[in-house]
Amino acid sequence: MNIFGKVTQVCLALVMAALPAANAYADREGDPLDASTLDKIETYVKEQFVIAGIPGGSYAIVDRGNIVRSAGIGYADLETRREATPETVYATASVTKPFTAAAVLRLAEQRVVDLDAPVVSYLPWFRYEDRSASSRVTVRHLLTHSAGVSRYSADGAIYQDVENNRNSMEGAARALRTVKMNAAPGARGQYCNTCFNVLGLIVEEVTGKPYEEYMRESLFEPLGMDDASFRPSEAANADVAKEYGYMFGFATEVTPYWKEFGSSQAPEGGAYGSATDLARFAAAALGYGADPFFASGTLDAYHNAGVPASDLLNAVYTESGFEASELHGTRVLAKSGDGMGSSSEIILIPRMGAGLVLFVGEADGEACGRIAKGIASLMLGRPPASVDGMPNALQVVGQVSLGILILSGILAIWLVGSVIRHRRRGYAARRRWAVALRAAIYAIFSVPVWYLLLAFRPTEAGFYGYPYDFAIAMIAIVVPLTLWAAYSAALLAFGRQEHLVKEAERQ
């Protein structure tokens, strides 16, 4: 073949390679989003932030691969009044899962990872309590949250030894050996944070690179996610939002997500990024962009395959890390992330070739999800729901904690008064049945609180896994309850009966 023929062949190959990126999504329904719709979205988001009392955040809309609208709202730092922008960096929390899934699927397309291979073929030591059943858990099961374990038992196993598991992905995964399986692998979709941390270990095993380094080189940099990282303080961009939670119902700055959770949780929820970063990922996940792996539409098959979610209403855990469901009769792919001090949401509408990303600069995942669905509704030409009257769960917990703290003070004062009164009467137990009932009630209430404090760890953040205000409230209430139960039992066992005291006084 002469030089002209070779050049012609190369040019033809290049043209054919470019065709899928240009034409695979040419049949997307509907017209591109117009300025009027985008203006309605901007007005709606700003209104909802005011209604919900959200300090700040950002959002971005993508349409046919382009970021057609993005904006920051409110403040990234309440103290300095630094305004939020589309480039302000927030914790993505569980929106990290589609990132990890994309990395694993890329490796599968490269035939480096076999999705139907057992996890033990990559990590021979991997197991749950049932070694035999564990050996049947595949990479695909991890992707679809169908490994056969409860989220709470799996997470709890890691949190029992935070010192050794906090910054060790392998240590955290080895801790799963005590977890009981509640379903056969692949039988049921139930949310699984630890599944994605195990996927991160598989990435490390087959690539020979640390998970975070591989993600930066293979995903963040190729997609132009310039501010995405797992250590935002070390990123070049200094525009990192402060993270806000609640203490007894009042807004307060909290420790950043990555510092609270450590690196062992990075593959399931440790990434940080801006609205612009997530918008670029959303565009790629829809099949647009410069990266051939995404632009060729490779993810479509994984968007459409998955396992029904037993813990979500009418949703499917897809192989791509998104949750598939319907909104106004239209199929959407969504993923939400609830951090300690920020919340995130990404929604794709494949039929339209459009999507959105949203950051809320406080721990209010419910409001973030409602606003994100409202944006998607406007994109679909439907009226959006409002967050008006929608309580912030963590704020409510804080207010309840404050109430418990006040109640504990009342109980403590009452106990001191009771001791003084009984001392004056020579510790005589009047109405012993009432004292016995009181001892039983206080014991019944105190036992589960002690269990929660000492034996159950819902997370590794906060105080022993609990928000600080709730932990303070539990400690404050369980102490007087326990003292009341013990004191009442002591009166029954050792206190004199009231009629004997009266007889002694008459004599």
Side-chain angles (χ1 to χ4, degrees):
M1 182 182 294
N2 59 29
I3 186 66
F4 178 79
K6 290 182 179 180
V7 170
T8 301
Q9 188 179 50
V10 170
C11 290
L12 181 61
L14 290 173
V15 170
M16 293 303 293
L19 284 177
N23 298 330
Y25 296 91
D27 59 349
R28 295 291 166 90
E29 297 179 17
D31 297 326
L33 296 169
D34 56 29
S36 175
T37 299
L38 296 174
D39 289 342
K40 289 179 182 178
I41 290 172
E42 185 167 348
T43 299
Y44 166 77
V45 176
K46 289 180 178 178
E47 288 177 347
Q48 298 307 301
F49 270 50
V50 172
I51 292 171
I54 297 169
S58 60
Y59 77 96
I61 309 293
V62 295
D63 189 12
R64 275 74 170 179
N66 299 311
I67 300 176
V68 293
R69 182 69 62 91
S70 63
I73 303 168
Y75 299 101
D77 186 331
L78 291 175
E79 183 178 356
T80 64
R81 311 304 281 179
R82 173 164 52 92
E83 294 184 350
T85 74
E87 281 69 46
T88 299
V89 173
Y90 291 91
T92 71
S94 283
V95 172
T96 306
K97 289 180 175 69
F99 300 166
T100 298
V104 172
L105 296 176
R106 181 192 294 271
L107 292 169
E109 293 292 322
Q110 296 170 348
R111 301 186 183 279
V112 177
V113 170
D114 180 355
L115 298 184
D116 292 312
V119 175
V120 292
S121 63
Y122 301 103
L123 307 173
W125 47 262
F126 170 80
R127 59 168 294 191
Y128 297 118
E129 186 181 60
D130 186 333
R131 186 185 295 272
S132 176
S134 303
S135 67
R136 298 194 296 274
V137 176
T138 67
V139 177
R140 200 183 302 273
H141 292 147
L142 299 181
L143 286 168
T144 55
H145 300 267
S146 59
V149 294
S150 161
R151 167 186 181 178
Y152 299 103
S153 60
D155 286 356
I158 296 174
Y159 303 148
Q160 291 301 317
D161 187 3
V162 173
E163 183 177 350
N164 290 323
N165 298 334
R166 179 181 182 79
N167 290 305
S168 170
M169 287 171 55
E170 181 173 333
R174 286 183 181 273
L176 300 175
R177 65 186 179 276
T178 63
V179 176
K180 295 180 183 295
M181 299 178 71
N182 62 2
R188 183 170 59 176
Q190 45 190 338
Y191 201 75
C192 184
N193 287 317
T194 55
C195 290
F196 280 76
N197 294 329
V198 174
L199 287 170
L201 276 173
I202 293 174
V203 168
E204 292 192 340
E205 181 66 24
V206 300
T207 64
K209 293 182 178 180
Y211 165 82
E212 295 179 16
E213 178 183 339
Y214 181 80
M215 295 298 289
R216 183 181 68 254
E217 294 178 353
S218 68
L219 188 76
F220 297 160
E221 291 178 356
L223 294 183
M225 299 169 66
D226 299 332
D227 300 319
S229 72
F230 293 88
R231 298 289 183 276
S233 61
E234 299 172 8
N237 190 326
D239 186 14
V240 181
K242 294 290 181 67
E243 300 185 35
Y244 295 97
Y246 290 92
M247 178 65 75
F248 297 115
F250 300 97
T252 184
E253 185 180 344
V254 298
T255 304
Y257 187 95
W258 69 274
K259 289 185 178 180
E260 281 280 12
F261 281 89
S263 60
S264 68
Q265 310 297 297
E268 65 92 1
Y272 276 70
S274 67
T276 301
D277 292 327
L278 263 65
R280 288 172 178 152
F281 176 78
L286 285 163
Y288 302 95
D291 190 319
F293 171 71
F294 290 94
S296 63
T298 300
L299 285 185
D300 267 13
Y302 305 109
H303 286 329
N304 294 313
V307 174
S310 63
D311 48 0
L312 290 176
L313 184 63
N314 299 322
V316 172
Y317 289 127
T318 73
E319 294 173 357
S320 64
F322 288 92
E323 293 147 14
S325 60
E326 286 195 354
L327 181 65
H328 304 301
T330 298
R331 185 173 183 273
V332 298
L333 300 165
K335 191 73 197 81
S336 60
D338 297 335
M340 295 299 294
S342 65
S343 305
S344 61
E345 189 87 21
I346 179 171
I347 298 179
L348 310 181
I349 311 176
R351 176 175 66 81
M352 295 177 60
L356 68 99
V357 297
L358 173 69
F359 281 115
V360 165
E362 68 172 10
D364 191 355
E366 295 298 322
C368 185
R370 175 73 65 86
I371 296 171
K373 287 182 180 179
I375 297 172
S377 297
L378 287 168
M379 293 168 67
L380 291 167
R382 299 297 186 90
S386 173
V387 296
D388 189 22
M390 187 177 184
N392 182 322
L394 287 178
Q395 190 174 23
V396 171
V397 167
Q399 292 167 344
V400 170
S401 298
L402 182 59
I404 293 174
L405 194 62
I406 294 171
L407 176 61
S408 67
I410 295 172
L411 285 174
I413 294 171
W414 185 19
L415 176 60
V416 171
S418 180
V419 171
I420 293 173
R421 288 194 303 273
H422 281 101
R423 182 180 180 183
R424 290 173 179 171
R425 295 199 302 263
Y427 296 103
R430 181 182 298 177
R431 293 190 297 274
R432 295 176 66 84
W433 64 269
V435 175
L437 180 62
R438 185 176 65 198
I441 291 175
Y442 288 160
I444 289 171
F445 276 98
S446 62
V447 168
V449 179
W450 279 118
Y451 170 77
L452 289 174
L453 282 171
L454 301 178
F456 181 69
R457 297 205 61 175
T459 174
E460 67 184 45
F463 179 83
Y464 209 69
Y466 298 93
Y468 289 105
D469 49 5
F470 189 57
I472 293 171
M474 285 198 296
I475 294 170
I477 195 68
V478 78
V479 170
L481 284 175
T482 303
L483 290 175
W484 259 115
Y487 180 63
S488 299
L491 278 177
L492 291 173
F494 306 110
R496 292 184 297 169
Q497 296 186 29
E498 185 71 14
H499 72 277
L500 295 178
V501 175
K502 291 181 178 179
E503 288 179 4
E505 290 175 349
R506 286 197 297 269
Q507 296 175 356

